[in-house]
Amino acid sequence: MPFLLIRGFYPERNPDNLLHYQRVVPQELEIKVLNAMGWGSLSDVPPGETDLTEGQAVAVMEILGDEMRADLMQSIGLFR
């Protein structure tokens, strides 16, 4: 079953180069996250990972109930 995954990395090279945030979007919140991204359905999600703008990141983190980390670059992708 396909699912949306949000990831957060430091935008600049960091010595540890590790993933610092990762969250699977719960199915019950998918449509809200899709709408925040300007997509109508999972079929509208482009291949690969898409970087979130600051506004999109704030909206998605609010939907997920997670703290917005301004020090991270957030992305979203559809995984199967």
Side-chain angles (χ1 to χ4, degrees), residues 9-76:
F9 294 90
Y10 286 112
E12 297 177 12
R13 286 220 172 260
N14 189 288
D16 68 11
N17 203 25
L18 296 174
L19 177 67
H20 289 274
Y21 175 87
Q22 181 168 291
R23 173 114 187 247
V24 172
V25 176
Q27 194 170 19
E28 62 271 11
L29 298 177
E30 275 182 3
I31 195 68
K32 289 180 180 183
V33 170
L34 289 169
N35 289 336
M37 294 298 298
W39 302 324
S41 70
L42 292 178
S43 63
D44 294 330
V45 179
E49 289 192 59
T50 301
D51 291 339
L52 278 68
T53 65
E54 184 177 339
Q56 289 169 329
V58 168
V60 168
M61 291 300 127
E62 185 175 302
I63 291 165
L64 295 175
D66 289 348
E67 180 181 340
M68 174 60 187
R69 290 202 39 198
D71 60 334
L72 298 181
M73 178 73 155
Q74 306 286 345
S75 66
I76 186 171

